[in-house]
Amino acid sequence: MGVVRTDESRRAEIEEFRQMLLSCSGAVVVLKVRSKDEFNRRRGTVAGGGNERGVDRKLVCVTSGVSFLGIAIVKQLLIRGYAVRIIVDSEEDIERLREIETSGEMMEGTSSNNLIGVVVAKFNDRQSLMEAFDGCCTVFHTAAFVDPSGFSGYSKYMAEIEAKAAENIAEACAETSSVRNYVLTSSLLTCIWRDTSNNNLPPLVDHNSWSDESFCNGKKLWYALGKLKAERASWRIAEEKGLKLATICSGLITGPRYFCTNPSSTIAYLKGGQDMYEHGLLASVEVDKLAEAHVQVHEEMKKGSGGRYVCFDKVVRRPEEVQRLEVETGVRINTDTVSTDDGFRFELSNRKLDRLMSQVHRCNIDVC
């Protein structure tokens, strides 16, 4: 499920993946494209059974692990000593990993804490997902969906596919005995889209805020609708089946080569960019910070409950910042008729995640 890439683009993605894995400071990476059973044997994991012996608390699963965000999350997990099982849905993605493995530059070692395994599973096949998740304590679903044609950015059809995939993954997590935690990459768009003609809307937009599904549908904000329906479905299943869930509502993802690698999702996110800017709701986050947030939220889940988190590191507030974003993304955000002289109506807040990240950084400094 993705756009058709040129050979040059494909080689660039492979090189980027290789460099990111090699940059894992202190991590010994052993990349072998294995079956799940072979990977579990290498890890010393007893698969299945539903008891504690069947759970490896350092083995986690990342869906779309060869996507831009997936790569960054894998890197952060490897740095922290996790073993990662990457879920892919095509032989092409496996071939990308094989090219990295055979490049001759991948560090070899015997540490069992820094392995990458690859399993093919389809998001519309719940049984294959359960088999892929078996033995993992946590599933990270990065929801890396793009328009298959590569032209429309993100369609209403894609919104339905995304929602159904998230539902299948949540169901598979709930039905897989080893899975303790589920971390879903959502979007800030699930928090901000409401009818602004309603003067009773609170000025603060944070993890307690929810977009209006009918408003998204009426304005044809398909990307926001897909993320919203996916997150809603995940929370419904988590509550019904007792699955511990955390969702990370991310601003527009930025980072080296992101916009040229992911043009469809960038265009789709920025639909309605003028309104976002006018109301103080246009925000972005650098991919490495977002990946780190995923891992820190996961660590927090092991100590307590899940919940929603808003993640951004920059709010676009000035015309020159809009112009810079237009140049970087190639997306026109018409602000000619927008006046912000009287300030912005809404204020974005990521205070919940900011407190968590601040605690972690203080703890690291104090070596606690």
Side-chain angles (χ1 to χ4, degrees):
M1 184 180 298
V3 298
V4 176
R5 293 186 293 270
T6 64
D7 288 342
E8 182 180 354
S9 172
R10 187 166 175 270
R11 285 194 296 270
E13 288 184 18
I14 291 170
E15 175 62 18
E16 180 175 27
F17 196 2
R18 185 182 63 78
Q19 290 292 345
M20 290 188 76
L21 290 176
L22 286 171
S23 68
C24 295
S25 55
V28 179
V29 180
V30 183
L31 179 60
K32 297 291 183 184
V33 180
R34 301 180 175 87
S35 68
K36 178 175 72 76
D37 290 341
E38 182 184 359
F39 183 65
N40 283 344
R41 284 197 298 273
R42 183 69 179 270
R43 284 289 295 161
T45 304
V46 180
N51 56 35
E52 291 301 313
R53 293 183 65 241
V55 181
D56 186 337
R57 298 192 181 280
K58 276 296 193 179
L59 173 58
V60 300
C61 186
V62 180
T63 69
S64 301
V66 291
S67 67
F68 193 81
L69 175 59
I71 290 168
I73 293 174
V74 169
K75 172 186 173 182
Q76 291 294 328
L77 289 165
L78 290 173
I79 289 173
R80 289 162 175 79
Y82 285 91
V84 183
R85 181 181 295 160
I86 296 175
I87 304 299
V88 299
D89 66 356
S90 70
E91 290 295 327
E92 180 185 359
D93 287 335
I94 291 181
E95 184 59 31
R96 291 168 67 192
L97 293 174
R98 284 201 178 101
E99 291 189 36
I100 298 167
E101 180 186 3
T102 58
S103 66
E105 299 181 48
M106 188 62 63
M107 299 190 310
E108 294 290 342
T110 58
S111 171
S112 63
N113 288 331
N114 297 102
L115 296 173
I116 301 177
V118 183
V119 177
V120 176
K122 300 295 183 182
F123 292 158
N124 62 356
D125 184 346
R126 193 174 301 170
Q127 185 60 40
S128 76
L129 289 169
M130 291 174 61
E131 291 173 359
F133 298 163
D134 188 32
C136 297
C137 67
T138 299
V139 173
F140 293 83
H141 180 39
T142 62
F145 290 89
V146 294
D147 169 38
S149 69
F151 297 107
S152 64
Y154 195 99
S155 63
K156 187 176 183 178
Y157 174 66
M158 288 303 301
E160 296 301 325
I161 290 178
E162 178 140 8
K164 185 60 178 176
E167 183 177 347
N168 281 336
I169 289 170
E171 290 277 9
C173 286
E175 294 172 18
T176 304
S177 60
S178 65
V179 175
R180 300 290 188 263
N181 307 302
Y182 174 34
V183 182
L184 171 69
T185 306
S186 187
S187 173
L188 183 59
L189 301 181
T190 65
C191 306
I192 68 172
W193 285 119
R194 301 164 294 174
D195 184 0
T196 54
S197 65
N198 180 359
N199 294 322
N200 294 322
L201 291 175
L204 184 68
V205 176
D206 63 4
H207 57 279
N208 293 312
S209 305
W210 283 93
S211 292
D212 185 283
E213 185 172 323
S214 61
F215 181 83
C216 294
N217 207 12
K219 294 293 185 179
K220 298 182 178 180
L221 299 165
W222 306 133
Y223 190 76
L225 181 65
K227 297 296 183 184
L228 181 61
K229 294 181 75 170
E231 188 178 353
R232 288 284 196 190
S234 298
W235 279 114
R236 174 179 55 79
I237 292 166
E239 291 168 5
E240 289 175 356
K241 302 199 171 182
L243 175 66
K244 190 184 294 185
L245 170 66
T247 60
I248 300 178
C249 303
S250 160
L252 176 68
I253 302 175
T254 64
R257 294 189 63 253
Y258 179 79
F259 298 128
C260 64
T261 305
N262 300 268
S264 292
S265 58
T266 298
I267 293 169
Y269 187 100
L270 289 173
K271 186 174 183 180
Q274 176 180 343
D275 290 336
M276 283 189 272
Y277 171 70
E278 181 178 3
H279 294 297
L281 299 173
L282 181 55
S284 62
V285 59
E286 204 275 329
V287 66
D288 286 335
K289 177 174 180 179
L290 178 57
E292 183 183 359
H294 278 71
V295 179
Q296 296 300 350
V297 166
H298 168 244
E299 294 287 337
E300 183 68 13
M301 290 175 77
K302 294 193 294 185
K303 297 182 288 184
S305 61
R308 295 182 92 210
Y309 294 83
V310 166
C311 185
F312 64 87
D313 54 19
K314 182 177 182 59
V315 179
V316 177
R317 294 184 176 275
R318 297 193 300 272
E320 57 269 28
E321 293 174 340
V322 176
Q323 293 171 4
R324 190 178 310 120
L325 187 61
E326 288 178 333
V327 171
E328 291 175 347
T329 63
V331 179
R332 170 73 170 141
I333 305 170
N334 184 13
T335 60
D336 295 339
T337 60
V338 176
S339 174
T340 59
D341 294 340
D342 297 328
F344 299 97
R345 178 177 173 183
F346 299 105
E347 178 185 358
L348 285 173
S349 172
N350 61 352
R351 65 185 186 278
K352 181 179 178 182
L353 179 62
D354 194 49
R355 282 199 299 266
L356 172 61
M357 301 295 281
S358 296
Q359 291 171 2
V360 171
H361 291 155
R362 284 199 302 271
C363 186
N364 289 340
I365 291 173
D366 296 337
V367 196
C368 59

